[in-house]
mmCIF file of all heavy atoms in Angstrom:
data_model
loop_
_atom_site.group_PDB
_atom_site.id
_atom_site.type_symbol
_atom_site.label_atom_id
_atom_site.label_comp_id
_atom_site.label_asym_id
_atom_site.label_seq_id
_atom_site.Cartn_x
_atom_site.Cartn_y
_atom_site.Cartn_z
ATOM 1 N N ALA A 19 59.588 129.841 34.880
ATOM 2 C CA ALA A 19 59.157 128.849 35.872
ATOM 3 C C ALA A 19 57.791 128.283 35.522
ATOM 4 O O ALA A 19 57.535 127.076 35.684
ATOM 5 C CB ALA A 19 59.123 129.474 37.266
ATOM 6 N N VAL A 20 56.895 129.130 35.014
ATOM 7 C CA VAL A 20 55.571 128.656 34.603
ATOM 8 C C VAL A 20 55.714 127.684 33.435
ATOM 9 O O VAL A 20 55.019 126.657 33.382
ATOM 10 C CB VAL A 20 54.662 129.846 34.232
ATOM 11 C CG1 VAL A 20 53.387 129.362 33.533
ATOM 12 C CG2 VAL A 20 54.295 130.644 35.476
ATOM 13 N N ARG A 21 56.613 127.967 32.504
ATOM 14 C CA ARG A 21 56.849 127.040 31.387
ATOM 15 C C ARG A 21 57.345 125.694 31.897
ATOM 16 O O ARG A 21 56.928 124.642 31.397
ATOM 17 C CB ARG A 21 57.855 127.636 30.399
ATOM 18 C CG ARG A 21 57.278 128.725 29.509
ATOM 19 C CD ARG A 21 58.231 129.066 28.374
ATOM 20 N NE ARG A 21 57.653 130.102 27.527
ATOM 21 C CZ ARG A 21 57.824 131.401 27.722
ATOM 22 N NH1 ARG A 21 58.577 131.811 28.737
ATOM 23 N NH2 ARG A 21 57.264 132.286 26.932
ATOM 24 N N ARG A 22 58.259 125.722 32.876
ATOM 25 C CA ARG A 22 58.746 124.466 33.442
ATOM 26 C C ARG A 22 57.602 123.694 34.089
ATOM 27 O O ARG A 22 57.479 122.478 33.931
ATOM 28 C CB ARG A 22 59.859 124.731 34.463
ATOM 29 C CG ARG A 22 61.215 124.982 33.848
ATOM 30 C CD ARG A 22 62.318 124.936 34.892
ATOM 31 N NE ARG A 22 62.275 126.104 35.764
ATOM 32 C CZ ARG A 22 62.884 127.255 35.504
ATOM 33 N NH1 ARG A 22 63.580 127.401 34.392
ATOM 34 N NH2 ARG A 22 62.809 128.257 36.354
ATOM 35 N N PHE A 23 56.763 124.414 34.819
ATOM 36 C CA PHE A 23 55.607 123.787 35.459
ATOM 37 C C PHE A 23 54.677 123.188 34.411
ATOM 38 O O PHE A 23 54.198 122.055 34.549
ATOM 39 C CB PHE A 23 54.859 124.816 36.320
ATOM 40 C CG PHE A 23 53.624 124.278 36.976
ATOM 41 C CD1 PHE A 23 53.685 123.680 38.227
ATOM 42 C CD2 PHE A 23 52.384 124.351 36.342
ATOM 43 C CE1 PHE A 23 52.549 123.163 38.834
ATOM 44 C CE2 PHE A 23 51.243 123.844 36.934
ATOM 45 C CZ PHE A 23 51.327 123.246 38.188
ATOM 46 N N GLN A 24 54.399 123.936 33.359
ATOM 47 C CA GLN A 24 53.496 123.461 32.310
ATOM 48 C C GLN A 24 54.058 122.227 31.619
ATOM 49 O O GLN A 24 53.313 121.276 31.343
ATOM 50 C CB GLN A 24 53.254 124.590 31.297
ATOM 51 C CG GLN A 24 52.406 125.727 31.859
ATOM 52 C CD GLN A 24 52.399 126.965 30.975
ATOM 53 O OE1 GLN A 24 53.379 127.251 30.289
ATOM 54 N NE2 GLN A 24 51.299 127.713 30.996
ATOM 55 N N LYS A 25 55.357 122.211 31.356
ATOM 56 C CA LYS A 25 55.963 121.053 30.714
ATOM 57 C C LYS A 25 55.831 119.818 31.598
ATOM 58 O O LYS A 25 55.516 118.726 31.115
ATOM 59 C CB LYS A 25 57.440 121.334 30.412
ATOM 60 C CG LYS A 25 58.126 120.194 29.665
ATOM 61 C CD LYS A 25 59.562 120.558 29.300
ATOM 62 C CE LYS A 25 60.217 119.431 28.509
ATOM 63 N NZ LYS A 25 61.601 119.775 28.114
ATOM 64 N N ARG A 26 56.062 119.992 32.908
ATOM 65 C CA ARG A 26 55.974 118.849 33.839
ATOM 66 C C ARG A 26 54.557 118.305 33.962
ATOM 67 O O ARG A 26 54.358 117.174 34.379
ATOM 68 C CB ARG A 26 56.455 119.260 35.239
ATOM 69 C CG ARG A 26 57.919 119.555 35.346
ATOM 70 C CD ARG A 26 58.383 119.626 36.796
ATOM 71 N NE ARG A 26 57.653 120.562 37.619
ATOM 72 C CZ ARG A 26 56.828 120.206 38.592
ATOM 73 N NH1 ARG A 26 56.590 118.926 38.848
ATOM 74 N NH2 ARG A 26 56.215 121.131 39.315
ATOM 75 N N HIS A 27 53.570 119.121 33.609
ATOM 76 C CA HIS A 27 52.175 118.709 33.744
ATOM 77 C C HIS A 27 51.487 118.457 32.403
ATOM 78 O O HIS A 27 50.266 118.326 32.338
ATOM 79 C CB HIS A 27 51.401 119.761 34.553
ATOM 80 C CG HIS A 27 51.824 119.825 35.999
ATOM 81 N ND1 HIS A 27 52.987 120.422 36.397
ATOM 82 C CD2 HIS A 27 51.240 119.332 37.126
ATOM 83 C CE1 HIS A 27 53.108 120.324 37.714
ATOM 84 N NE2 HIS A 27 52.080 119.658 38.171
ATOM 85 N N GLY A 28 52.286 118.386 31.331
ATOM 86 C CA GLY A 28 51.732 118.058 30.023
ATOM 87 C C GLY A 28 50.842 119.137 29.443
ATOM 88 O O GLY A 28 49.932 118.835 28.661
ATOM 89 N N LEU A 29 51.103 120.390 29.791
ATOM 90 C CA LEU A 29 50.283 121.509 29.330
ATOM 91 C C LEU A 29 51.025 122.296 28.254
ATOM 92 O O LEU A 29 52.245 122.200 28.127
ATOM 93 C CB LEU A 29 49.952 122.438 30.508
ATOM 94 C CG LEU A 29 49.248 121.786 31.693
ATOM 95 C CD1 LEU A 29 49.206 122.742 32.877
ATOM 96 C CD2 LEU A 29 47.837 121.356 31.302
ATOM 97 N N GLY A 30 50.286 123.086 27.488
ATOM 98 C CA GLY A 30 50.914 123.955 26.508
ATOM 99 C C GLY A 30 51.861 124.925 27.199
ATOM 100 O O GLY A 30 51.479 125.583 28.176
ATOM 101 N N GLU A 31 53.088 125.024 26.694
ATOM 102 C CA GLU A 31 54.127 125.832 27.357
ATOM 103 C C GLU A 31 54.039 127.289 26.905
ATOM 104 O O GLU A 31 54.799 127.759 26.069
ATOM 105 C CB GLU A 31 55.496 125.228 27.075
ATOM 106 C CG GLU A 31 55.653 123.822 27.634
ATOM 107 C CD GLU A 31 56.928 123.137 27.176
ATOM 108 O OE1 GLU A 31 57.975 123.802 27.128
ATOM 109 O OE2 GLU A 31 56.861 121.931 26.845
ATOM 110 N N THR A 32 53.102 128.017 27.498
ATOM 111 C CA THR A 32 52.843 129.404 27.114
ATOM 112 C C THR A 32 53.588 130.419 27.977
ATOM 113 O O THR A 32 53.785 131.555 27.566
ATOM 114 C CB THR A 32 51.337 129.702 27.215
ATOM 115 O OG1 THR A 32 50.923 129.569 28.583
ATOM 116 C CG2 THR A 32 50.535 128.728 26.349
ATOM 117 N N GLY A 33 53.954 130.025 29.193
ATOM 118 C CA GLY A 33 54.585 130.972 30.117
ATOM 119 C C GLY A 33 53.603 131.890 30.798
ATOM 120 O O GLY A 33 53.994 132.774 31.566
ATOM 121 N N THR A 34 52.314 131.701 30.532
ATOM 122 C CA THR A 34 51.266 132.484 31.191
ATOM 123 C C THR A 34 50.325 131.530 31.940
ATOM 124 O O THR A 34 50.189 130.365 31.571
ATOM 125 C CB THR A 34 50.447 133.297 30.178
ATOM 126 O OG1 THR A 34 49.817 132.396 29.251
ATOM 127 C CG2 THR A 34 51.339 134.258 29.410
ATOM 128 N N VAL A 35 49.691 132.059 32.978
ATOM 129 C CA VAL A 35 48.783 131.235 33.786
ATOM 130 C C VAL A 35 47.383 131.319 33.190
ATOM 131 O O VAL A 35 46.630 132.263 33.442
ATOM 132 C CB VAL A 35 48.784 131.686 35.264
ATOM 133 C CG1 VAL A 35 47.815 130.840 36.082
ATOM 134 C CG2 VAL A 35 50.179 131.585 35.854
ATOM 135 N N ASN A 36 47.041 130.324 32.372
ATOM 136 C CA ASN A 36 45.692 130.233 31.809
ATOM 137 C C ASN A 36 44.846 129.309 32.677
ATOM 138 O O ASN A 36 45.262 128.882 33.757
ATOM 139 C CB ASN A 36 45.757 129.737 30.358
ATOM 140 C CG ASN A 36 46.588 128.455 30.235
ATOM 141 O OD1 ASN A 36 46.717 127.695 31.183
ATOM 142 N ND2 ASN A 36 47.156 128.233 29.057
ATOM 143 N N GLY A 37 43.664 128.970 32.210
ATOM 144 C CA GLY A 37 42.748 128.168 33.018
ATOM 145 C C GLY A 37 43.294 126.801 33.380
ATOM 146 O O GLY A 37 43.230 126.372 34.539
ATOM 147 N N ALA A 38 43.853 126.079 32.382
ATOM 148 C CA ALA A 38 44.362 124.735 32.650
ATOM 149 C C ALA A 38 45.545 124.780 33.606
ATOM 150 O O ALA A 38 45.675 123.925 34.494
ATOM 151 C CB ALA A 38 44.761 124.068 31.331
ATOM 152 N N THR A 39 46.409 125.784 33.441
ATOM 153 C CA THR A 39 47.572 125.915 34.320
ATOM 154 C C THR A 39 47.128 126.254 35.740
ATOM 155 O O THR A 39 47.667 125.723 36.721
ATOM 156 C CB THR A 39 48.525 126.997 33.791
ATOM 157 O OG1 THR A 39 48.916 126.654 32.464
ATOM 158 C CG2 THR A 39 49.757 127.129 34.659
ATOM 159 N N LEU A 40 46.145 127.130 35.858
ATOM 160 C CA LEU A 40 45.628 127.506 37.178
ATOM 161 C C LEU A 40 45.047 126.290 37.899
ATOM 162 O O LEU A 40 45.276 126.088 39.107
ATOM 163 C CB LEU A 40 44.552 128.590 37.014
ATOM 164 C CG LEU A 40 44.143 129.353 38.284
ATOM 165 C CD1 LEU A 40 45.332 130.146 38.824
ATOM 166 C CD2 LEU A 40 42.974 130.283 37.979
ATOM 167 N N THR A 41 44.317 125.462 37.165
ATOM 168 C CA THR A 41 43.744 124.249 37.760
ATOM 169 C C THR A 41 44.847 123.335 38.278
ATOM 170 O O THR A 41 44.758 122.806 39.394
ATOM 171 C CB THR A 41 42.889 123.503 36.723
ATOM 172 O OG1 THR A 41 41.799 124.343 36.324
ATOM 173 C CG2 THR A 41 42.335 122.208 37.302
ATOM 174 N N ALA A 42 45.917 123.153 37.486
ATOM 175 C CA ALA A 42 47.017 122.283 37.906
ATOM 176 C C ALA A 42 47.768 122.866 39.097
ATOM 177 O O ALA A 42 48.178 122.139 40.012
ATOM 178 C CB ALA A 42 47.969 122.060 36.733
ATOM 179 N N LEU A 43 47.958 124.189 39.112
ATOM 180 C CA LEU A 43 48.639 124.833 40.238
ATOM 181 C C LEU A 43 47.890 124.631 41.545
ATOM 182 O O LEU A 43 48.493 124.504 42.615
ATOM 183 C CB LEU A 43 48.797 126.341 39.967
ATOM 184 C CG LEU A 43 49.869 126.773 38.976
ATOM 185 C CD1 LEU A 43 49.657 128.225 38.556
ATOM 186 C CD2 LEU A 43 51.261 126.608 39.573
#
């Protein structure tokens, strides 16, 4: 689910919640 979220937001698809992913969430 995190990978799907990252793809939808143009982020690296790591599957982990890093800083950029946390900001977008």
Side-chain angles (χ1 to χ4, degrees):
V20 168
R21 284 192 179 90
R22 280 192 288 273
F23 178 89
Q24 290 168 329
K25 183 176 182 179
R26 292 194 305 110
H27 292 76
L29 303 170
E31 297 171 41
T32 63
T34 61
V35 179
N36 51 26
T39 302
L40 195 64
T41 298
L43 284 165

